[in-house]
C-alpha cells in the first residue's frame, strides 16, 4: 500500500514530521506517488485531504522546515498566498530585511502586491523601515504568518 510506504519514510517524533528519504537540493522531500515523482508534502496533503485542486499549491507553516510533511502544518494556497508566506529576505539582500533596501541616504521599504511594487516610505533607521514594511504586509497579505508572529 503506497500510504504505508510513504509513512515509513517519515520521522513522526517531533512537532514537525520530517521526511527521511530523498530530499531534493531545494530542501523538499520527494516521493514516487500516483505514478509520478512528487514532493512529499504534496503526497502527505493528498493522503490526509484528497486531491489538490487545480491551480492550488501546498504551503508550509512559516515555522516548519521544507521537509516537514505533517498534514496539520500544510494548507492549500494560491501561488500569491504561498509567496506571501516566504521567510526572510532574498539571499542577495544587503539589508537582511525582506522588502528593505538602502538608497543613498535612507532605508527604503517596499512591498510587492498583485505585481505592483508599493513604496512604503524612506526611513533613517533599518529598524523603522522593518516595522513599516511588516505593517504594510500585514495590511495587504493574508498568508504572511511570520510577519504576524513578529513583535518588532
Amino acid at each position: 500500500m503506497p500510504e504505508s510506504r510513504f509513512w515509513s519514510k517519515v520521522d513522526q517524533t517531533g512537532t514537525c514530521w520530517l521526511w527521511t528519504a530523498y530530499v531534493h537540493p531545494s530542501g523538499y522531500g520527494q516521493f514516487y506517488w500516483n505514478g509520478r515523482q512528487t514532493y512529499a508534502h504534496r503526497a502527505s496533503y493528498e493522503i490526509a485531504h484528497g486531491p489538490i485542486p487545480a491551480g492550488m499549491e501546498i504551503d508550509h507553516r512559516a515555522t516548519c522546515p521544507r521537509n516537514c510533511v505533517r498534514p496539520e502544518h500544510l494548507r492549500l494556497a494560491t501561488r500569491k498566498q504561498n509567496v506571501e508566506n516566504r521567510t526572510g529576505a532574498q539571499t542577495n539582500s544587503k539589508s537582511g530585511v525582506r522588502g528593505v533596501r538602502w538608497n543613498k541616504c535612507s532605508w527604503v521599504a517596499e512591498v510587492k502586491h498583485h505585481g505592483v511594487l508599493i513604496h512604503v516610505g524612506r526611513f533613517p533607521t533599518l529598524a523603522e523601515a522593518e516595522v513599516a514594511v511588516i505593517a504594510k504586509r500585514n495590511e495587504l497579505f493574508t498568508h504572511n504568518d511570520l510577519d504576524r508572529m513578529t513583535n518588532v
Side-chain angles (χ1 to χ4, degrees), residues 13 23 25 28 30 33 35 39 43 50 58 69 72 77 83 89-91 95 98 100 102 104 120 124 127-128 135 139:
T13 59
V23 175
Y28 295 103
Q30 288 190 321
W33 175 253
Y39 287 119
I58 302 302
V69 296
E72 295 85 1
V83 171
Q90 299 279 10
T91 56
S95 73
R98 181 179 174 196
V100 177
W102 179 255
K104 297 181 184 174
V120 178
E128 290 173 292
E139 175 189 327

Side-chain angles (χ1 to χ4, degrees), residues 59-106:
D59 183 31
H60 286 83
R61 275 191 356 193
T63 57
C64 293
R66 291 178 176 177
N67 67 328
C68 176
V69 296
R70 187 171 186 157
E72 295 85 1
H73 293 182
L74 306 171
R75 64 181 169 190
L76 283 175
T78 64
R79 179 72 185 140
K80 181 185 182 309
Q81 290 169 331
N82 201 350
V83 171
E84 286 177 3
N85 203 30
R86 280 187 42 232
T87 56
Q90 299 279 10
T91 56
N92 63 350
S93 169
K94 291 193 168 71
S95 73
V97 176
R98 181 179 174 196
V100 177
R101 63 182 172 83
W102 179 255
N103 186 307
K104 297 181 184 174
C105 60
S106 61

